[in-house]
Amino acid sequence: MTHDIYRHMMTEAGSPMTVTVSPTTIEDLEDGQVLVEVAGCGVCHTDLGFYYEGVRTRHALPLCLGHEISGRVIAAAQDMTALLGKAVVVPAVIPCGECDPCRAGRGAICATQFFPGNDDHGGFASHVVVPGKGLCAIDEELLAASGVDLASLSVIADAVTTPYQAILNAGLKPGDLAIFIGIGGVGSFGVQLAKAMGAHVVAIDVDTERLEGIRDYGAEHVIVSGEDFRAIKKEIRTWAAEREYPMTGWKIFETSGHPGGQALAVALLGYDAHLAVVGYTRAKIEVRLSNLMAFDATMRGTWGCLPEHYPAVVGHVLRGDVRLDEFVEKFPMSQLNEVFSDLHSHTLKKRPVMIPDFSPQPS
Amino acid sequence: MTHDIYRHMMTEAGSPMTVTVSPTTIEDLEDGQVLVEVAGCGVCHTDLGFYYEGVRTRHALPLCLGHEISGRVIAAAQDMTALLGKAVVVPAVIPCGECDPCRAGRGAICATQFFPGNDDHGGFASHVVVPGKGLCAIDEELLAASGVDLASLSVIADAVTTPYQAILNAGLKPGDLAIFIGIGGVGSFGVQLAKAMGAHVVAIDVDTERLEGIRDYGAEHVIVSGEDFRAIKKEIRTWAAEREYPMTGWKIFETSGHPGGQALAVALLGYDAHLAVVGYTRAKIEVRLSNLMAFDATMRGTWGCLPEHYPAVVGHVLRGDVRLDEFVEKFPMSQLNEVFSDLHSHTLKKRPVMIPDFSPQPS
C-alpha cells in the first residue's frame, strides 16, 4: 500500500514553508522504522531557532521541521510489527540504545540519536518515519478515560518531558523550593510536574496573565519579573522564610530562553542551588562564575529526556496531575507559517499544536 | 599555662599587616576547641582576595588571615583531650556536623562552619584556636617515612583537598580525560590527584616553566594557553582521538581564578562535559548558557572539602602519589607582607608556606 506523505518543507531560513508530497510504501521503511500517521505536532522555540535564527539543522535543507509528535503507527518494518496500530508519542530525542554513552545512561549525548525535524523529516506532516525503538505507546483506555486527545499528547515529546528530565537531574525532593522562570510552553508544564513531585513552586514571568493562569496549576507564589533581581530574590527569601520553606538548595528552572530570564536565574543562585538551563537562546550573558564556588552551586543543561522516563510523564498527564488542554492551542497545520510568525512575535499565550489538514491531491 | 599567641593582623585592605600578641590560657578555650601550634600556613589567592580586592571577611577586621594550617595540638578543652600532642592538618572549612545540611552530606554550605582566617583568627600566627572536630590527625611514623615535613602538609588544607573535592564532585573515573587550566598552587596538586585516580591529564597554563615542571608529575600533555580557544580545543581533540581517549565527558578544572582561564574553560565545554570552578575571581565573563543545554553539560563550583575526605588525600601525599615539596616554597612568617605582594604580582612560581619565626617578647 502506498501512503502519500505531505510535508511542510523549510527550504531556507525565513522563507515560507511549502507543502510537498512523497508517495511511500512499506518497502521504503528500513529495519527498525515505523510510519506514524501524525495526530498533532507541537511548535517549539527550537523550531523558531532553526527557522528565524539560523541555527543549523543536522540534516541539510530542505527539511520538514517538527519534533513534538503524537500519532498512530500505520506501517512498520518486520521487526517492529508489534507497534502496528498503537497510539504513540514520539520522543524528541531517540538515542540508539547501544553505544557506550547509551549503555552508561547518557543517551542525551548519543552520537547517532534521532531527532525528528532535525536529523530527518519531522512532524509538520501527514506522516513521519521514525525508529520504532523508544516510541512511547499509550494505553487507549486510560487515554479515553482522561478526556485528553491524542493530538494534545504531542507536547509531551518535548515541552513536558524536557522539564521532567531537568527536574530529575536537579534531584528535586518533596519539600524543595522550585523556581520556574518563564511560564510559557515549557514552564507551565514544569510547574505542574514539580508540584506533583512535592515541591513548593514559585513562578516568575513578565506576563501577568500567564502568572494568574498558573496559580491554579501548582504555583504557590507568582512574581512579575523585572530588572531589580535583588528585590525578586528578597521577595522569594521572605516568602520562603515565613513558611519555613528551604532557604538553601533552591532548584531554579530557566525555561524562558531569554537572556533576561537567564540573568535573573543566575542572580537567584544561592547556597547549594541548582540552576537548570532548559530554555534556549544563542545570546550570551555576563556571569560571575566564581559565585558557583562561593555557593557550592551547580548549573546544568538538559538536552531532551530519555525515552525510559516517558511512561512516568504520560502517567502524570493521564492521572490529571499535569493538565495539557489548558496550556495548548490547536491550529490546522495549513496555518503553520502564520503560527510560526505569531509564536515568534509572542502573540500566542499557549503551546501551539498543529493538526494535519492536508487535502489529498486529485489522482 | 599561658601561651603568647603572636598574630599578623590585617587591619584594612592593602595596609601592611602588623604583629600583635595575645596571652592565652586553657581557660580561654571553649568546649570543643583546641590550641594548635602552627607548623606552617600556606598563602592562598583567597587571602589575596581579602587583602587586595576588598572581599569581606565574615569576621570583622582586624583579623589574622590564613586558612592552610598544619601544626600540633598543645592544649585542648576537656572534651578534646584525645587530640593532645597530635600532628594535625586543620581543614579550611570545618562544618558543624550537626545541622540539616551537614547531616545530608552538604557540610560545604553549613551555616555555622568554621573557616580560619575568615570566621576568626587564622594561621599567620604562632598558634591558632580551632574546633577539634574535623581536624585531620597525621600518623607520624608514616609522615617520617615519607620524608615530607609537617609544615608542608599545611597546603593540604585547601590547595590539595579543594581540587580533590572537585574531582569527587565531577565523578572522575579511571580512563577519563581531565583538563586542568592553571598549574599554580592548586592546579599542580589537582593534576597529580587526577593522575593518581586514573585520568589522562592535560595541563594548560600561560607559563611554560610551570608546564614543563608538571610533565613529570602527571600531565600527559601540556598546552601553552592563548587567546585562540578553538585551536586549543582542536589540539586536545586531535591528541585525544589519536590515543582513543574519551571525546565526550571531559572533566575540566578551572583553577587559575582568572577571567581568561574561565573563558577558556567554558570554550572547552562539549558533550557531557563537567566544568569545575575551583579558582576564584570577582570578574564576570560572557557565557552562552544554552551551550550547557546543547551539550547536556554541567558547571559546578566547589567550596572547600569535607573533613571526611582529608585522610584519603593525606594518604595520597604520604604514599608519594602527590608530591608537595616540589610545588611549595617556604618563607619565614616575618616576610608575610612581602610574600603577599610577590604572590599578587605573580613573581612566585610555587605555593608559599609561611613558617612561624616570632621572637618572644622580653618578659
Side-chain angles (χ1 to χ4, degrees), chain B residues 327-340:
Chain B
F327 300 93
V328 155
E329 186 172 0
K330 290 171 189 154
F331 297 89
M333 203 173 276
S334 52
Q335 295 178 17
L336 186 64
N337 286 303
E338 293 78 1
V339 168
F340 263 55

Side-chain angles (χ1 to χ4, degrees), chain A residues 90-170:
Chain A
V90 181
V93 173
I94 306 180
C96 78
E98 289 162 18
C99 65
D100 288 346
C102 279
R103 279 199 292 252
R106 300 291 293 124
I109 65 151
C110 168
T112 55
Q113 63 181 237
F114 183 79
F115 187 126
N118 187 3
D119 288 308
D120 208 332
H121 297 305
F124 298 133
S126 60
H127 306 74
V128 65
V129 177
V130 294
K133 177 191 297 186
L135 296 195
C136 178
I138 307 297
D139 181 314
E140 299 208 49
E141 279 188 33
L142 292 178
L143 179 63
S146 75
V148 184
D149 72 4
L150 182 57
S152 296
L153 293 190
S154 60
V155 298
I156 289 176
D158 188 1
V160 190
T161 46
T162 299
Y164 183 79
Q165 181 76 63
I167 287 169
L168 294 186
N169 291 351

Side-chain angles (χ1 to χ4, degrees), chain A residues 10-166:
Chain A
M10 172 179 168
T11 50
E12 60 176 352
S15 290
M17 291 172 273
T18 52
V19 174
T20 63
V21 188
S22 304
T24 302
T25 72
I26 188 155
E27 283 73 37
D28 294 320
L29 297 179
E30 297 170 13
D31 283 354
Q33 289 187 326
V34 299
L35 182 69
V36 173
E37 185 175 48
V38 175
C41 184
V43 186
C44 173
H45 281 269
T46 307
D47 295 311
L48 301 189
F50 293 139
Y51 190 72
Y52 289 106
E53 293 185 48
V55 178
R56 286 180 66 172
T57 52
R58 297 194 288 228
H59 184 287
L61 299 178
L63 182 71
C64 175
L65 302 178
H67 56 269
E68 277 193 352
I69 306 165
S70 59
R72 192 173 295 281
V73 176
I74 60 165
Q78 287 232 326
D79 56 346
M80 286 290 155
T81 51
L83 284 169
L84 270 174
K86 294 217 187 285
V88 294
V89 172
V90 181
V93 173
I94 306 180
C96 78
E98 289 162 18
C99 65
D100 288 346
C102 279
R103 279 199 292 252
R106 300 291 293 124
I109 65 151
C110 168
T112 55
Q113 63 181 237
F114 183 79
F115 187 126
N118 187 3
D119 288 308
D120 208 332
H121 297 305
F124 298 133
S126 60
H127 306 74
V128 65
V129 177
V130 294
K133 177 191 297 186
L135 296 195
C136 178
I138 307 297
D139 181 314
E140 299 208 49
E141 279 188 33
L142 292 178
L143 179 63
S146 75
V148 184
D149 72 4
L150 182 57
S152 296
L153 293 190
S154 60
V155 298
I156 289 176
D158 188 1
V160 190
T161 46
T162 299
Y164 183 79
Q165 181 76 63

Side-chain angles (χ1 to χ4, degrees), chain A residues 233 247-250 252 266-274 295-297:
Chain A
K233 189 171 188 178
M247 303 301 285
T248 61
W250 290 358
I252 304 162
V266 169
L268 293 180
L269 283 172
Y271 292 109
D272 197 27
H274 181 107
F295 291 139
D296 209 76

